[in-house]
Amino acid sequence: MSENIRAVLFDFDGTLADSYPAITASVNHVRAVHGLPPLDEAEVRRHVGRGPAYLLEHTIPGGNLATDWPRYRAHHPTVMESHTRLLPGAAQVIDDLKSTGRRVGVCSNKPRAFTVRLLAHLNLEVDLILGPEDVARPKPAPDMLRVALARLRLPAEEVLYVGDMVVDIDTARGAGVRVWVVPTGSDEREHLEAARPDRILAGLHEIAGLLSAAGE
């Protein structure tokens, strides 16, 4: 396996950005329509990262995805910019990776339109953005990373995926891509450790230095 990493792909929610306040606000907007009391952020956070259907099915008991998802999607743009912030090191690591000639992308179960708008708002420029609309199956199926590999025209051994959940580890393993994780998202560190990623990072700031030190 080649040790030359030519592209780094990132998850979004919990990896590059803390978007949980925005997601919680939109979930609670839909819950209010059903006469349900608001959930706190910690409870909503547990269900983020597996796609919109999973999120709403697990936070809106007795809901109807066909009507609840349009409500969520209409509300979310009103809060997502004001309630989302970059995680420490996110902007720097993307700049550092691009300065070395590496490609950078985002592969997230967040709807692609939301990711595109937030990346622009947060002044992050990447080479590739994929969401669940771009594939037959969302993460943890490997489809999204396989599409990324095809679009970047790179073999799996030359790509690194960085996420924050066991879902991300499973996705990378299915695509044959190396995977590093940060413990800043929906899964506890012990669950990440049990899933055996290639590395658990203290933070995003470690990535460029680790790749450089390893000759990757």
Side-chain angles (χ1 to χ4, degrees):
M1 179 181 289
S2 168
E3 293 301 309
N4 181 34
I5 296 296
R6 297 176 59 193
V8 180
L9 305 174
F10 292 89
D11 174 53
F12 188 80
D13 298 318
T15 301
L16 288 175
D18 177 2
S19 45
Y20 299 111
I23 294 169
T24 300
S26 291
V27 164
N28 284 331
H29 169 76
V30 179
R31 284 177 62 87
V33 173
H34 290 275
L36 297 169
L39 296 176
D40 62 30
E41 184 181 317
E43 175 60 25
V44 174
R45 185 186 189 106
R46 296 175 50 235
H47 307 295
V48 174
R50 299 171 180 86
Y54 184 98
L55 172 67
L56 294 180
E57 286 167 359
H58 286 77
T59 56
I60 317 290
N64 181 333
L65 187 62
T67 55
D68 290 341
W69 172 233
R71 290 184 182 120
Y72 181 101
R73 194 176 182 102
H75 179 267
H76 202 58
T78 69
V79 296
M80 66 181 181
E81 292 181 359
S82 60
H83 288 55
T84 301
R85 63 178 181 85
L86 284 179
L87 286 167
Q92 189 63 53
V93 72
I94 289 177
D95 285 347
D96 290 345
L97 292 170
K98 291 175 76 71
S99 73
T100 64
R102 292 183 171 92
R103 309 286 294 282
V104 178
V106 173
C107 293
S108 170
N109 276 341
K110 193 180 197 72
R112 177 165 35 83
F114 293 164
T115 303
V116 169
R117 180 166 161 179
L118 282 168
L119 288 172
H121 173 70
L122 297 167
N123 295 312
L124 295 183
E125 293 186 9
V126 298
D127 302 297
L128 174 74
I129 302 170
L130 292 174
E133 308 93 331
D134 298 305
V135 292
R137 302 174 298 170
K139 300 184 302 179
D143 303 29
M144 206 177 299
L145 291 187
R146 288 176 175 165
V147 169
L149 295 175
R151 292 193 183 179
L152 293 170
R153 298 182 180 180
L154 292 174
E157 59 266 25
E158 293 183 356
V159 175
L160 170 68
Y161 189 48
V162 180
D164 65 282
M165 295 180 65
V166 173
V167 164
D168 299 315
I169 298 168
D170 292 342
T171 301
R173 294 287 182 241
V177 170
R178 273 174 287 183
V179 58
W180 294 356
V181 293
V182 284
T184 51
S186 298
D187 285 345
E188 299 291 337
R189 186 183 182 95
E190 63 191 49
H191 297 139
L192 297 175
E193 291 174 346
R196 302 177 64 84
D198 294 298
R199 186 182 293 272
I200 297 181
L201 303 163
L204 296 172
H205 64 278
E206 291 189 305
I207 294 173
L210 287 168
L211 291 177
S212 177
E216 297 179 349

